[in-house]
Amino acid sequence: MCLGACVAFGFTVFSLRLVDLQVSRADYYSALALEKHSTQQTIYARRGSVTDVNGVPLASNEPVKTVVIDASVVRHSDALAEVLSRHLEMPLDQVKTRLARQTQGPNGKWGPSPYIVIKKEVPEQVAEALREEVLKRNLRGLVFEQDSVRVYPNGSMLCHVVGFVSRMNGGLKGVEGVERSMDNFLKGHDGVRFTERDRTGKEMPAFRHMERPPRDGATVKLTVDMVLQDIVESEMDAAMKQFRPKMATCILVRPATGEVLAMVNRPHYNLNQREGVPDEARKNRAIMDMVEPGSTFKVVTTAAALDLKLVTPETSINCENGHFSYGGAVLHDSHHGYGDLTVNDILVKSSNIGVAKLGIKLGDHRLYDYIRRFGFGDRTGIQLPGEIGGIVHAPRHWTKMSITHIPMGHEVGATPMQVVSALCTVANRGLLVTPQIISSITSSSGETLASYPPVEVRRVIPPEVAEQLVSALKEVVSKKGTASLAHVPGFAVAGKTGTAQKTSPTGGYEHGHYVVSFAGFLPADKPELCALVLMDDPVPGSTPNYGGYIAAPVFSRIAQRAARHLNMTPNPDLLKVAGSLAKNEGGKTR
Amino acid sequence: MSSNRRRNANLLPVARILLLGVLLLTVGGGALFYVNAKNEVHRNGQRKKDLERELIALETKDEVICSRIAKLSSFDALRKRQSQEQEVFAKLVPVSDNLVVRLQERAPVAGEAQVRTVSNLQPKR
C-alpha cells in the first residue's frame, strides 16, 4: 500500500515536471535548444572587379587562406610547428609560441586554445602544399579558412584612378579612386543561411532553414583604354626622366563624349605595395590639384570677346611693344614685344598684353560669366572621389590688376581636368560635356545595371565662334605659333601652350619656377582626341622653359601613338607637309 | 465427439497471428522506411555539402588561375619582361609610319547599291 502510494507520488512529481518542461517553459527551452544547435552562417559576397574599356582586369580578387590551428586536438605539436614554419616561411620559435597559447574554457580551466591564427593571406598554392604534407604525416589540428585579397595586376598603372580598398569591420571598403566612388556597386551583398549543427558542431545540411544567397559585386568598366594608358605612361616616364618636374599630369579625352581614355599622374605608387607611400604620391592631381592654368586660359578670354562680338579674329590690338602699364603695374609679354596683333595672332603668339586688353574690353562681370560657363570654379562631375572645383573669385573680390591677370590664366585656380574640359568645349564646337571615366556597370549575372551616355552640360559658345577659335588654335601649332613642336604628322592639330609662373606659398610668385602645359586636340576639324600635358616646375636644361618646348613635344609623341592605336586615318596631304617640315627644320629645334 | 472437435478447432488462431504479423511488418517496415528515409535525407544533405565544397574549390581554383593570368599578362608584367628578357624573346620593333599601308575606302560607284544576283557555279574549264 505504502509502496503503491510512493510510486504514485513519484509519477505525479515526474508528470508535473514533464508538464512544466513541455508546456509551461516550452518556449524557453525550445529557444535554448535552437540557440545551441542552430547557427547563422554568413555567405560572403565576392567584390566585383574593375576593368578597362576592353575588359582588361585592373582590380580583381585573389583567393587566399588563413591558417588556423585547433590546439586542443594537436598531438605532435613540434612536428606540426616544423611543417608550418617551413611552408609559411615563419621563424620556428614564433610558430611554437603561437601553438603554446592557452585559453580559459567554459569550465574556467586553462587549456590549449581551439582557435589560433598562425598566418593570414597565405597563397592557395602554399596552402595546398601544406595540406598535402599535413595529411601525409597524419598531423591533426590544421584548419584553413577561405579569404580573399584585392589585387591590382597592373601595379602602378592607373593607380590614381583605380584606387584601393582597406579592410574595415571584416569587409573590404574602397578608400580611393573608383574603388571608393563605386564601392556600393563593387561590394555586393553578403548572403545568410540558418542551419543546424549536431552535438560535435558539424553542420547538418539536411536541416537548413532559410537561405538568402549572396549577391556578388558588379563589374565596373572604365572608359580608359589600357593601351592608350600604357602609351601615356611610357611617354610621361620619359618626360619625367628628361625634365624631372615635381609633378606631372596627362589626360586623354574623347571630346565628343567626354570619355577619359587615359589619366596619368606623377609621382605615383604601386597599388600592391602601399606601405610607406607618401600622401603626395597618392593624390590624383588631375582632379585634386589646382594650378594657375596660364596661357591655355587665353582661349576662354578670346572666346568671350569673340562671342560678344567685341572683336573679330582680324581686329587689330596694340600690344604696346611688350610693356603695358595698367593699374599701377607693368605687364610684359613673355616671348617678344609685339606691336599691333590681330586677335587671332594674340592666341598664336600668346600675347599677355593682347589678351589683357581683351579682358579690359570684356569687363569684370562678362569675363567672370564666361569663365564660369566654361566650367571653371565648379567640379566637372567626373565619377572620381575628391574632385575640387578650383578657385574663381567673384568680381567683387578682384583687385585693380585682376582684369589684366585673369585673362591670361593668373589669379585663377583650375584643375588639369577643368583645363582639358574647357578645351574639349572648343573641340566640340562650343558644347560643354561632362567628363566621364565609368563606361558601364554590369552585375555578376551579366545584366547591365548602369551605363553612362554622354552628358551635355550647356552650350558655352556658338559653333561659329568655336570655329574661329579652332582656326586660331591650328595656327598655334604651326611654324609661326608657340607650339610648332606639338605637330602630329598627318593630322591638323589645334592647341594652346601654357607657361605660368608658380605661386609661392608665402604669397607672390616664385622666380624661375613654372608650370608648363600644352592642351590640344586632333584632327582639328573633327576632333577624336583631346589631351593635356602639364608639368610642374620642370628642370629644362638647355631647353627653354616654356610649354611649347617641354609639354608640346610630349603631346606630339603621345598623340602620334594614340592616333595609330585609335585607327585614325592621317591626311596624306598633311603627311607630305610634315615630311617637308622635318626636312627644312633638320633638327633646328630639337 | 463434440469436445474433441472443440479442442481441434482452437489449436492455432492463424487469422489473428497473420493479422498481428501483417501489423508488425507494417509498423516495422514503416519504421525501417522512416529510418532509411531519414538517413537518405542526411546522406543527401552531406552530398549537397560535399558538392558545395567541390564547387567552391573549383571556383577558387578558377579565381586563382584568372588572377595569375591577369598578373602575367598585365601591361606592367609584360613591360618588365620585355625589358628584362630582350635576349630571350624577340625584340619588339615599333612600326614606323612610312611602313604602314592604309587602304582608303573605295569611292562608291553609281548603281553599286543595287541588288545583284550571284552564283556559286564554278566557271567552266
Side-chain angles (χ1 to χ4, degrees):
Chain A
M1 175 71 185
C2 188
L3 185 72
C6 284
V7 170
F9 178 74
F11 269 105
T12 310
V13 169
F14 281 125
S15 302
L16 284 173
R17 179 63 179 152
L18 194 66
V19 169
D20 179 44
L21 289 175
Q22 294 289 336
V23 181
S24 313
R25 301 174 70 180
D27 291 345
Y28 168 74
Y29 282 110
S30 54
L32 204 69
L34 201 70
E35 195 185 301
K36 201 169 162 65
H37 295 288
S38 306
T39 49
Q40 182 184 330
Q41 279 180 357
T42 306
I43 313 167
Y44 294 103
R46 286 187 176 86
R47 193 174 172 83
S49 52
V50 181
T51 71
D52 87 334
V53 72
N54 299 312
V56 174
L58 304 173
S60 53
N61 305 312
E62 186 179 308
V64 287
K65 292 270 197 293
T66 300
V67 177
V68 178
I69 293 292
D70 178 358
S72 63
V73 295
V74 172
R75 283 183 190 160
H76 312 285
S77 72
D78 283 347
L80 184 63
E82 186 272 321
V83 173
L84 288 172
S85 155
R86 185 154 37 81
H87 281 276
L88 303 179
E89 292 171 355
M90 288 170 74
L92 186 61
D93 292 344
Q94 194 185 354
V95 178
K96 280 185 175 173
T97 316
R98 285 193 186 175
L99 285 179
R101 195 177 295 157
Q102 302 249 319
T103 47
Q104 204 169 14
N107 52 5
K109 283 184 184 171
W110 287 85
S113 173
Y115 190 85
I116 304 168
V117 176
I118 301 292
K119 197 174 180 181
K120 287 182 176 178
E121 296 181 8
V122 177
E124 285 287 331
Q125 297 97 315
V126 176
E128 198 50 45
L130 177 62
R131 188 203 306 271
E132 273 174 25
E133 182 160 356
V134 164
L135 278 174
K136 215 162 104 186
R137 294 175 63 172
N138 204 18
L139 298 169
R140 293 177 66 189
L142 183 67
V143 180
F144 292 102
E145 281 180 4
Q146 191 63 53
D147 199 359
S148 73
V149 286
R150 198 74 168 156
V151 286
Y152 303 95
N154 288 289
S156 60
M157 272 177 87
L158 204 65
C159 56
H160 300 101
V161 172
V162 176
F164 58 88
V165 291
S166 180
R167 210 169 273 275
M168 281 179 204
N169 305 327
L172 296 173
K173 191 156 177 59
V175 177
E176 275 181 16
V178 171
E179 290 272 32
R180 182 174 160 192
S181 63
M182 294 288 131
D183 194 46
N184 277 342
F185 287 106
L186 287 165
K187 70 181 177 191
H189 292 279
D190 291 342
V192 71
R193 174 188 290 154
F194 295 94
T195 184
E196 286 191 24
R197 296 185 179 278
D198 64 10
R199 65 190 167 81
T200 60
K202 237 170 102 179
E203 191 206 339
M204 294 193 290
F207 295 101
R208 280 182 184 170
H209 309 298
M210 197 194 83
E211 186 171 320
R212 195 185 69 212
R215 210 168 67 213
D216 289 344
T219 299
V220 174
K221 190 199 267 188
L222 305 186
T223 55
V224 173
D225 182 334
M226 280 307 274
V227 177
L228 291 175
Q229 181 72 19
D230 185 51
I231 290 169
V232 179
E233 297 251 357
S234 60
E235 292 299 343
M236 289 303 278
D237 281 340
M240 288 294 287
K241 219 171 166 183
Q242 189 182 352
F243 298 115
R244 287 173 284 133
K246 285 204 176 103
M247 74 89 165
T249 293
C250 179
I251 309 167
L252 235 68
V253 181
R254 186 173 279 136
T257 57
E259 291 167 286
V260 176
L261 302 172
M263 188 184 270
V264 172
N265 291 291
R266 293 288 183 271
H268 63 323
Y269 65 105
N270 190 333
L271 287 169
N272 298 313
Q273 293 154 12
R274 296 190 301 272
E275 270 177 45
V277 172
D279 289 346
E280 283 300 296
R282 279 171 41 179
K283 202 171 172 185
N284 186 352
R285 290 167 185 276
I287 56 163
M288 292 177 179
D289 219 6
M290 216 166 31
V291 289
E292 284 192 342
S295 298
T296 45
F297 202 75
K298 287 172 183 166
V299 177
V300 177
T301 314
T302 314
L306 287 170
D307 188 24
L308 292 170
K309 309 227 178 327
L310 300 175
V311 290
T312 66
E314 286 74 39
T315 305
S316 186
I317 307 273
N318 186 354
C319 292
E320 313 282 348
N321 290 316
H323 296 274
F324 176 48
S325 297
Y326 186 86
V330 180
L331 201 66
H332 298 278
D333 266 335
S334 51
H335 295 265
H336 310 277
Y338 300 108
D340 285 349
L341 284 180
T342 62
V343 171
N344 231 20
D345 282 345
I346 285 173
L347 274 183
V348 175
K349 306 283 181 197
S350 198
S351 166
N352 293 338
I353 296 169
V355 87
K357 284 194 167 181
L358 289 181
I360 294 165
K361 268 183 195 283
L362 279 162
D364 298 359
H365 286 91
R366 287 194 293 194
L367 177 60
Y368 175 75
D369 180 39
Y370 272 89
I371 292 170
R372 296 303 301 263
R373 280 166 70 176
F374 267 96
F376 292 98
D378 287 321
R379 293 186 185 102
T380 61
I382 193 169
Q383 305 100 328
L384 286 173
E387 188 190 10
I388 58 164
I391 297 174
V392 181
H393 294 298
R396 65 177 182 278
H397 298 299
W398 290 11
T399 63
K400 236 179 185 179
M401 291 295 294
S402 297
I403 194 63
T404 56
H405 282 175
I406 292 174
M408 58 179 188
H410 285 273
E411 292 188 25
V412 176
T415 63
M417 195 71 239
Q418 286 176 329
V419 176
V420 82
S421 184
L423 204 78
C424 281
T425 306
V426 179
N428 284 336
R429 281 17 185 196
L431 210 59
L432 178 65
V433 174
T434 303
Q436 310 217 49
I437 203 146
I438 309 292
S439 171
S440 64
I441 298 172
T442 319
S443 73
S444 53
S445 57
E447 181 195 349
T448 304
L449 300 177
S451 55
Y452 297 86
V455 180
E456 290 175 5
V457 182
R458 62 181 156 264
R459 174 158 289 284
V460 181
I461 46 171
E464 51 279 8
V465 173
E467 284 294 348
Q468 290 169 347
L469 279 171
V470 171
S471 73
L473 294 177
K474 270 159 85 173
E475 281 187 61
V476 173
V477 192
S478 70
K479 259 179 115 182
K480 70 176 213 183
T482 53
S484 61
L485 296 179
H487 79 271
V488 178
F491 296 97
V493 179
K496 184 73 195 80
T497 53
T499 309
Q501 214 170 354
K502 274 192 79 174
T503 47
S504 167
T506 53
Y509 289 95
E510 289 180 9
H511 288 286
H513 298 279
Y514 297 93
V515 174
V516 297
S517 60
F518 179 82
F521 53 87
L522 74 156
D525 300 321
K526 202 182 169 197
E528 287 184 47
L529 195 69
C530 184
L532 166 80
V533 176
L534 186 142
M535 284 186 234
D536 182 355
D537 202 9
V539 182
S542 57
T543 316
N545 203 353
Y546 290 115
Y549 289 90
I550 293 175
V554 181
F555 169 89
S556 169
R557 288 193 290 271
I558 291 171
Q560 273 183 55
R561 293 174 65 185
R564 193 186 286 177
H565 172 68
L566 292 173
N567 213 12
M568 287 159 60
T569 314
N571 183 342
D573 300 334
L574 290 171
L575 267 175
K576 282 174 209 158
V577 173
S580 62
L581 249 175
K583 268 182 202 165
N584 291 342
E585 283 179 3
K588 195 170 74 185
T589 47
R590 294 186 203 204
Chain B
M1 175 86 181
S2 62
S3 62
N4 283 346
R5 246 190 219 168
R6 225 179 358 254
R7 215 175 293 135
N8 288 340
N10 291 330
L11 270 178
L12 276 171
V14 178
R16 235 187 233 183
I17 289 168
L18 271 175
L19 186 70
L20 201 68
V22 168
L23 272 173
L24 274 173
L25 271 174
T26 311
V27 172
L32 279 173
F33 176 77
Y34 176 74
V35 170
N36 185 50
K38 200 92 173 156
N39 278 345
E40 193 63 28
V41 167
H42 278 280
R43 262 199 301 275
N44 281 340
Q46 198 52 48
R47 235 179 106 201
K48 189 178 171 186
K49 182 88 189 160
D50 290 344
L51 284 171
E52 270 177 4
R53 206 171 288 154
E54 211 174 303
L55 188 69
I56 290 169
L58 284 170
E59 278 175 355
T60 307
K61 217 178 237 180
D62 180 54
E63 259 187 291
V64 170
I65 289 168
C66 284
S67 173
R68 270 190 76 188
I69 291 170
K71 266 186 199 168
L72 291 171
S73 61
S74 69
F75 280 80
D76 197 41
L78 291 176
R79 206 198 288 174
K80 270 183 201 156
R81 209 170 154 196
Q82 195 201 342
S83 62
Q84 284 168 1
E85 302 174 11
Q86 270 187 6
E87 286 161 19
V88 183
F89 296 97
K91 194 179 171 183
L92 294 178
V93 181
V95 181
S96 56
D97 252 331
N98 58 340
L99 295 175
V100 177
V101 177
R102 288 188 173 84
L103 301 174
Q104 299 290 338
E105 267 185 46
R106 194 162 57 90
V109 181
E112 199 178 34
Q114 287 171 2
V115 178
R116 286 171 293 181
T117 52
V118 290
S119 167
N120 286 332
L121 287 175
Q122 294 291 315
K124 282 178 185 171
R125 288 177 188 173

